[in-house]
Amino acid sequence: MDIKEYNDKIKSILITKEEIDEAIKKAGKKIDKLYDGRPILLVSILKGAFVFMADLCRAVSVPCEIGFMCAKSYYNGTQSSGIVNITMDLDKDVSNYHLVIVEDIIDTGRTLNDVVKLLKARNPLSLTVVTLLDKPDRRVVEFKADISLFTIPDLFVIGYGLDCGEFYRNLPYIAEYKEK
Ligand code: IMP
Ligand code: MG
């Protein structure tokens, strides 16, 4: 792909960096209020949530540890494979932790449904799900996040951690991807 083609695929900005920053501040305060000084373990689902995680962890004031899990549901392009694979697991026993799952987007709901089931079976002290984006129109498995920053229509989006074919994760905003 050449640079012109790369840029042409960024159709329009859906959520600006400023809007994201503002929403993250609010989400950080909600988390602080919810845990009221108790320590938490923020668990980011890679790769998509790495940017959100980096900003969200700096918006909370309760003591926090961070952890990463890798779940893959999109093999390539914009089509969901329907199969969720945990390709990297947490490196600690979560039974002594208040878990806060940090996800980039809930689409069909399959990824979080599987991840939450898996983590709940390990008996954490509590479990809360925070998602940056929610595409409720595309749900296949019923799933609702405890904290959702933006609800978006059924569009394929890129930027702020979200990719198409591994590109565009570094855009500082959320944009609609031009699918032919
Ligand atoms: P779900 O399992 O269908 O809910 O999909 C969740 C995962 O699919 C997310 O963590 C993303 O990695 C990916 N995904 C879903 N929708 C989009 C999108 O619009 N752009 C980029 N990635 C997406
Ligand atoms: Mg993801």
Side-chain angles (χ1 to χ4, degrees):
M1 177 168 42
D2 64 24
I3 184 72
K4 187 181 176 300
E5 196 184 332
Y6 175 87
N7 286 324
D8 281 349
K9 295 282 189 189
I10 307 169
K11 191 170 173 187
S12 59
I13 297 180
L14 213 63
I15 308 169
T16 65
K17 182 181 184 302
E18 290 71 26
E19 288 168 327
I20 297 170
D21 289 348
E22 197 55 42
I24 290 180
K25 267 189 212 154
K26 281 190 197 153
K29 288 197 179 117
K30 269 190 200 165
I31 292 170
D32 285 346
K33 209 167 154 201
L34 207 59
Y35 291 96
D36 191 26
R38 281 172 300 197
I40 58 174
L41 172 61
L42 290 170
V43 178
S44 167
I45 312 295
L46 294 173
K47 300 175 193 170
F50 85 106
V51 179
F52 180 37
M53 170 72 139
D55 284 338
L56 186 66
C57 75
R58 287 176 288 180
V60 300
S61 307
V62 290
C64 93
E65 291 183 40
I66 59 165
F68 297 94
M69 268 178 100
C70 193
K72 268 198 127 128
S73 60
Y74 269 70
Y75 287 136
N76 54 49
T78 62
Q79 282 309 303
S80 168
S81 66
I83 303 158
V84 179
N85 255 324
I86 307 293
T87 57
M88 188 186 89
D89 206 342
L90 283 170
D91 56 1
K92 30 183 148 239
D93 172 8
V94 300
S95 62
N96 261 317
Y97 284 98
H98 290 286
L99 296 185
V100 179
I101 314 291
V102 180
E103 178 61 307
D104 53 353
I105 186 165
I106 309 177
D107 186 29
T108 64
R110 287 186 185 115
T111 306
L112 274 181
N113 191 61
D114 283 16
V115 168
V116 164
K117 230 188 258 168
L118 181 89
L119 292 176
K120 275 191 175 159
R122 298 177 186 172
N123 296 311
L125 299 174
S126 68
L127 191 150
T128 299
V129 173
V130 183
T131 187
L132 175 68
L133 305 172
D134 190 0
K135 272 202 278 198
D137 296 347
R138 298 244 320 155
R139 218 56 112 245
V140 172
V141 175
E142 201 173 322
F143 192 90
K144 208 174 170 297
D146 300 290
I147 302 174
S148 167
L149 280 60
F150 300 96
T151 298
I152 61 166
D154 182 8
L155 299 171
F156 196 82
V157 292
I158 49 172
Y160 200 76
L162 292 119
D163 73 307
C164 185
E166 295 298 327
F167 285 122
Y168 305 104
R169 294 191 194 274
N170 58 322
L171 297 178
Y173 47 78
I174 308 275
E176 182 183 345
Y177 179 75
K178 197 189 280 172
E179 302 188 57
K180 271 243 190 212

